[in-house]
Amino acid sequence: MAGAIIENMSTKKLVIVGAILLFFQAFSFMVGGLIGPSPTTAIHYLATKCVDTVKTHHKGSKWFMPWGPDQCSKISDFDEAMAKRIEANNIVFAVHIPLPNREMSPWFQFMLVILQFDIAFKMQNQIEDGSLVTMDVGLAYRDSTLSEWTEMARSIEHRKLSCNFTATKTYKNEGHYYECDPLPFMEVGSVAHKYYLLNIRFPVKERKKVNIWNGEIEAIRLVSIHQNGGFTKVWFAMKTFLTPSVLIIMIWYWRRITQMTRPPVLLEKIIFALGISMTFTNIPVEWLSVGFNWTWMLLFSDIRQGIFYSMLLSFWIIFCGEHLMDQTERNRFSVYWKQVGPIVFGFFCLFIFDMCKRGVQLKNPFYSIWASDVWSELAMAFIIVAGICICLYFLFLCFMVFQVFRNISGKRSSLPAMTKALHEGLIFRFKFLMLVTLACAAMTVIFFIISQVNEGHWHWGGYMVQVNSAFFTGIYGMWNIYVFALIFLYAPSHKHYGDEKSSAD
């Protein structure tokens, strides 16, 4: 693409531009590492056992508070319940979010709740393999400690227990706890209220064999995970700064393209499309979520990121393909359909997967695809296949970059000595940009895999990969700086606006 800034700008100016971009890249890492706190916070809760003395569990009109002036009537354990002849159907596990003397905030953006059972071993009531727990769950909210609770969601949910008893199953070991995997419980896409209340019942129906062979549930522990308010502010500030930066240079770039005496080539179009997808991802609409109860923001953010991913991965294929100098059918999008098609299809599948997960949660925050064996296996398979495919993509991209380097070396060896000296600097620039592209692709692949692992870590019964704020802000800054650099370097140089021959090369 002769006539571009990357070819005509002096080496001194290019070094200055590179140094400035490198400074902003380092700054984007430092913003997260030095200014921003950890992206998320996990808070542990122990459910309080309340007694429904008036048996209102069929009406769903009464809410049980674990503490405070209107706290419920409590019991310490099930032995006390048996002594007082309190039935299991009249016990309500209550959890107030947040802890006393604290408030939730819209800056928290989302709230994910994980459920953990403390189940005691009893010889006469052992947990059967594949045992299913049925829960009658309700979620309420309020914005003042003096106001009444307002129902937000209510549902009958089923969760499959995965528990292991490590000791010998004898009467001597009664009272010891099973080791149970944590279970997905609830996900809310907006934290618009100050106080939340969870009421959980375990209805026992002997005829229908509901909650009969689930062991003796001694306690329920919940882990509430939300985004840190400080990190949210840093993230929003980055988006607010980067949006006009990419938008302005994109407008400047397309203005230069339209001033050419020829129509734009494929590489110029795909760079502009990449700029549009980056700008769409950057637009800080999240500011509005602070003032509005937009529970669909998580889904919308996933869609935006998916569009950018598919655009970026498609761009790298076309970018390398257009630099293969022995390729005779350049400047035609149809040439790349075999490579770009699977990328688009893959992210369309990702969109369907996300709609099945987050789409249903818009109406029922207790819904989880991991609660079903079929959906759980499909989700697990999807995450594994996505990781394998993204690794294969990176290997294919490395192969294409290798081909570009080999072709450049072959063409350089065939040039006359005088022409070769003139092109040495230009060849080095293209090789360096290819290596930067490869490094950016590697970081993107690592970020994608880690984000998928974090998505499923609770469901695998494993540990979460701790990713600090610097990685998030650094990768996000890298994408913007890379797109900014491409738009700037591949913009037509003002020296060649009227050079029809150079522009058409």
Side-chain angles (χ1 to χ4, degrees):
M1 212 178 81
I5 288 178
I6 189 174
E7 300 175 356
N8 295 287
M9 180 176 277
S10 66
T11 303
K12 181 180 178 181
K13 291 181 180 178
L14 276 178
V15 170
I16 293 173
V17 171
I20 293 173
L21 294 178
L22 187 62
F23 167 78
F24 278 107
Q25 178 63 76
F27 181 73
S28 66
F29 276 104
M30 288 189 293
V31 165
L34 302 179
I35 301 175
S38 175
T40 57
T41 294
I43 301 175
H44 296 259
Y45 299 89
L46 177 63
T48 300
K49 302 179 187 70
C50 295
V51 179
D52 186 0
T53 55
V54 293
K55 301 181 180 181
T56 59
H57 53 279
H58 293 296
K59 301 176 183 178
S61 58
K62 184 178 179 181
W63 295 95
F64 297 85
M65 266 289 291
W67 45 262
D70 54 346
Q71 61 183 285
C72 64
S73 175
K74 308 173 187 176
I75 57 172
S76 58
D77 52 39
F78 283 96
D79 290 335
E80 182 183 348
M82 292 180 66
K84 295 180 179 180
R85 297 183 178 180
I86 299 172
E87 297 180 1
N89 287 325
N90 294 333
I91 298 176
V92 182
F93 290 85
V95 177
H96 185 279
I97 301 176
L99 295 171
N101 302 319
R102 296 187 181 182
E103 294 181 356
M104 300 298 282
S105 168
W107 292 103
F108 294 164
Q109 291 294 289
F110 67 89
M111 181 168 56
L112 174 67
V113 180
I114 307 299
L115 183 66
Q116 179 78 56
F117 288 115
D118 286 349
I119 303 178
F121 170 73
K122 294 291 182 182
M123 285 294 293
Q124 302 301 323
N125 187 11
Q126 299 183 30
I127 298 179
E128 294 184 343
D129 293 335
S131 184
L132 204 65
V133 174
T134 301
M135 298 177 288
D136 182 356
V137 292
L139 174 66
Y141 68 88
R142 67 181 180 183
D143 293 305
S144 170
T145 55
L146 302 176
S147 60
E148 294 293 327
W149 290 101
T150 302
E151 183 176 305
M152 183 174 174
R154 185 173 291 277
S155 176
I156 301 294
E157 293 295 323
H158 308 280
R159 297 291 186 269
K160 187 177 181 180
L161 290 176
S162 178
C163 298
N164 182 34
F165 191 68
T166 55
T168 307
K169 293 183 178 180
T170 61
Y171 283 101
K172 183 180 178 180
N173 290 322
E174 280 193 343
H176 289 82
Y177 291 121
Y178 287 89
E179 293 182 0
C180 297
D181 291 340
L183 301 172
F185 182 64
M186 182 185 76
E187 186 169 7
V188 179
S190 173
V191 189
H193 306 286
K194 294 181 180 179
Y195 310 105
Y196 293 87
L197 180 64
L198 281 167
N199 280 181
I200 308 170
R201 299 173 185 268
F202 295 90
V204 176
K205 299 177 181 179
E206 294 185 4
R207 290 185 178 180
K208 296 182 179 180
K209 296 185 178 181
V210 176
N211 292 332
I212 298 299
W213 301 108
N214 291 334
E216 190 170 298
I217 300 175
E218 295 287 343
I220 293 179
R221 302 179 188 276
L222 299 177
V223 181
S224 172
I225 304 170
H226 61 260
Q227 188 165 292
N228 271 327
F231 177 78
T232 303
K233 293 174 183 177
V234 170
W235 190 254
F236 287 7
M238 274 194 73
K239 286 198 161 199
T240 305
F241 170 75
L242 291 170
T243 299
S245 304
V246 177
L247 181 61
I248 290 171
I249 196 169
M250 193 173 64
I251 295 172
W252 168 83
Y253 169 81
W254 195 247
R255 183 173 173 272
R256 285 204 165 194
I257 294 293
T258 54
Q259 287 178 352
M260 301 291 289
T261 56
R262 58 161 177 82
V265 297
L266 176 61
L267 189 56
E268 292 168 340
K269 292 178 182 177
I270 200 70
I271 289 175
F272 184 69
L274 182 63
I276 292 175
S277 66
M278 187 77 260
T279 304
F280 180 59
T281 304
N282 283 341
I283 297 174
V285 293
E286 290 89 349
W287 283 110
L288 298 175
S289 68
V290 177
F292 298 94
N293 186 17
W294 287 352
T295 56
W296 46 266
M297 278 305 300
L298 282 178
L299 178 61
F300 182 64
S301 297
D302 287 349
I303 292 173
R304 288 200 298 176
Q305 192 168 15
I307 291 173
F308 174 71
Y309 269 140
S310 59
M311 191 67 241
L312 186 64
L313 268 60
S314 301
F315 166 77
W316 282 331
I317 296 295
I318 297 173
F319 180 66
C320 293
E322 290 297 288
H323 284 86
L324 290 174
M325 292 182 290
D326 61 348
Q327 191 169 321
T328 57
E329 296 184 336
R330 281 192 285 179
N331 200 28
R332 288 198 308 159
F333 183 76
S334 57
V335 176
Y336 301 99
W337 72 269
K338 290 182 180 180
Q339 296 91 346
V340 175
I343 294 173
V344 175
F345 177 76
F347 280 96
F348 177 75
C349 294
L350 181 65
F351 168 73
I352 298 298
F353 173 76
D354 216 41
M355 284 297 295
C356 293
K357 181 181 65 172
R358 299 201 192 277
V360 180
Q361 286 176 343
L362 294 178
K363 289 199 171 184
N364 180 17
F366 300 105
Y367 171 80
S368 174
I369 61 171
W370 302 95
S372 166
D373 287 341
V374 175
W375 279 107
S376 181
E377 290 175 2
L378 285 174
M380 184 73 71
F382 176 83
I383 292 174
I384 294 172
V385 170
I388 294 173
C389 289
I390 200 71
C391 291
L392 292 175
Y393 169 87
F394 180 70
L395 294 176
F396 178 70
L397 187 65
C398 291
F399 173 72
M400 291 194 72
V401 171
F402 170 75
Q403 282 189 312
V404 171
F405 279 18
R406 186 182 63 180
N407 288 338
I408 288 176
S409 300
K411 295 292 182 180
R412 182 175 59 179
S413 62
S414 64
L415 291 172
M418 192 170 195
T419 310
K420 187 184 296 184
L422 292 172
H423 283 78
E424 280 296 332
L426 183 59
I427 290 172
F428 173 77
R429 294 178 184 185
F430 279 114
K431 281 190 172 183
F432 182 76
L433 185 60
M434 283 293 175
L435 291 176
V436 170
T437 297
L438 211 55
C440 184
M443 294 298 290
T444 301
V445 168
I446 292 171
F447 181 80
F448 178 81
I449 292 175
I450 288 179
S451 64
Q452 293 300 314
V453 170
N454 273 333
E455 178 71 24
H457 80 277
W458 285 109
H459 317 295
W460 298 345
Y463 296 96
M464 178 169 54
V465 179
Q466 294 294 334
V467 183
N468 59 20
S469 302
F471 190 68
F472 278 101
T473 57
I475 295 297
Y476 187 67
M478 179 194 72
W479 290 337
N480 280 272
I481 291 167
Y482 178 74
V483 172
F484 185 96
L486 282 173
I487 292 174
F488 174 75
L489 294 175
Y490 278 85
S493 174
H494 63 85
K495 301 175 183 178
H496 292 269
Y497 276 170
D499 193 344
E500 185 72 29
K501 180 181 176 183
S502 175
S503 300
D505 189 357

